[in-house]
């Protein structure tokens, strides 16, 4: 399910119900191109958020007379979720959708308490998204816990499984911010075990707990840390691609620091200044392993082979 489309639809349903005295199930189905059961599921989400939806059997749906979204209707968790949703929708490929979602969200934000507005302002720079968004499975409420950790400046304990590792490690971290890149969420944090800043992929966190101990350090912004990290961690990569398939790499190659290309008779040579992990590049490159080859660095083809072998062994298991 596309979480962006559903979020957009539920917000539109809410404002439609607020603007009309009665909306029929059939009208909702036709307007949003959804089935009867989906209508009920979306309305259930609104009810769980505190919106008093009335089902007038045989007629349609309405919101109880006199209802307004008061500031007390929004919990801290709901406010944080709306902030994440706003970041996601800013990446929506359709300008029309982005513009109208922003307008709808402004109406919702207008009813926030002063403290809630301060939280939104404080966390604005702590959350970054780049590239197209896709839904991935994470621990329930993991982003909520991390944002609470940032707001309260309390440490978080995580159980983390690194790529290729068989054993989980326990880390005490001071989260600085979250960012979304190349299809995954990451938390950038000061790791007390390693004594430095690290980023952790959220889908590799197996357990998370908000601790009582407070941060020991004042941390730079996410933007500052990521810029410093990208300047110090650039891997030059060169690949050769079959000209008949080179266009398939066109859009996503920018995510991996594509800088230039040379068009030869039988192949196209592409050059990258990769700021991502070389392993991340290798996993992306695997999509084209039958029509391309890695020329530099020398160790990277072995990493591709390792991943492929692990995949084949996993399929046999």
């Amino acid at each position: 399910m596309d979480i962006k489309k559903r979020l957009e639809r539920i917000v539109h349903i809410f404002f439609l119900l607020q603007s009309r005295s009665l909306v029929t199930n059939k009208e909702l189905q036709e307007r949003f191109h959804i089935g009867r059961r989906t209508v009920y599921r979306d309305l259930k989400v609104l009810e769980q958020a505190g919106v008093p939806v009335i089902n007038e059997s045989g007629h349609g749906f309405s919101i109880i007379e006199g209802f307004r979204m008061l500031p007390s209707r929004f919990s801290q968790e709901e406010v944080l979720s709306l902030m994440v949703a706003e970041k996601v929708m800013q990446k929506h490929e359709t300008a029309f959708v982005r513009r109208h979602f922003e307008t709808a969200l402004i109406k919702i934000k207008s009813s926030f308490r002063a403290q809630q507005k301060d939280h939104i302002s404080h966390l604005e720079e702590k959350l970054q998204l780049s590239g197209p968004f896709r839904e991935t499975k994470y621990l329930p409420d993991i982003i909520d816990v991390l944002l609470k950790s940032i707001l309260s400046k309390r440490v978080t304990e995580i159980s983390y499984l690194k790529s290729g590792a068989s054993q989980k490690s326990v880390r005490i971290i001071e989260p600085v911010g979250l960012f979304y890149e190349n299809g995954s969420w990451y938390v950038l944090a000061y790791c007390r075990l390693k004594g430095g800043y690290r980023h952790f992929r959220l889908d590799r966190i197996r357990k998370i707990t908000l601790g009582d101990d407070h941060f020991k350090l004042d941390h730079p912004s996410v933007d500052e840390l990521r810029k410093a990290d990208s300047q110090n961690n650039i891997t030059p990569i060169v690949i050769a691609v079959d000209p008949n398939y080179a266009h398939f790499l066109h859009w996503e190659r920018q995510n991996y620091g594509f800088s230039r290309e040379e068009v030869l008779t039988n192949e196209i040579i592409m050059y990258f200044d990769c700021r991502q992990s070389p392993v991340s590049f290798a996993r992306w490159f695997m999509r084209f392993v039958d029509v391309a080859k890695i020329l530099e660095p020398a160790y990277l083809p072995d990493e591709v082979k390792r991943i492929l072998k692990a995949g084949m062994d996993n399929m046999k298991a």
Side-chain angles (χ1 to χ4, degrees), residues 88-142:
V88 171
M89 290 302 292
Q90 286 171 354
K91 295 296 177 180
H92 201 288
E93 61 185 11
T94 307
F96 175 85
V97 173
R98 289 199 307 270
R99 184 172 64 254
H100 287 279
F101 180 84
E102 181 181 359
T103 302
L105 198 57
I106 287 172
K107 296 175 183 176
I108 296 174
K109 283 182 176 181
S110 66
S111 65
F112 285 174
R113 296 191 297 269
Q115 185 183 32
Q116 292 171 330
K117 293 176 182 178
D118 288 342
H119 285 173
I120 288 286
S121 177
H122 176 69
L123 288 171
E124 184 67 27
E125 65 174 19
K126 308 292 186 182
L127 195 66
Q128 298 182 353
L129 275 77
S130 61
F133 182 84
R134 72 184 183 208
E135 187 175 9
T136 308
K137 290 187 177 180
Y138 305 101
L139 289 175
D141 302 325
I142 186 169

Side-chain angles (χ1 to χ4, degrees), residues 138 142 146 156 158-162 169-179 184-205:
Y138 305 101
I142 186 169
L146 290 168
T156 299
I158 61 172
S159 177
Y160 193 72
L161 185 64
K162 292 178 63 176
S169 63
V170 176
R171 307 286 185 93
I172 304 296
I173 62 174
E174 300 181 11
V176 178
L178 299 163
F179 64 94
S184 296
W185 278 101
Y186 296 83
V187 56
L188 198 159
Y190 179 81
C191 177
R192 290 187 174 180
L193 178 66
K194 298 295 183 180
Y197 292 100
R198 299 288 188 273
H199 58 260
F200 303 91
R201 247 177 64 171
L202 266 57
D203 59 341
R204 292 179 182 160
I205 296 177

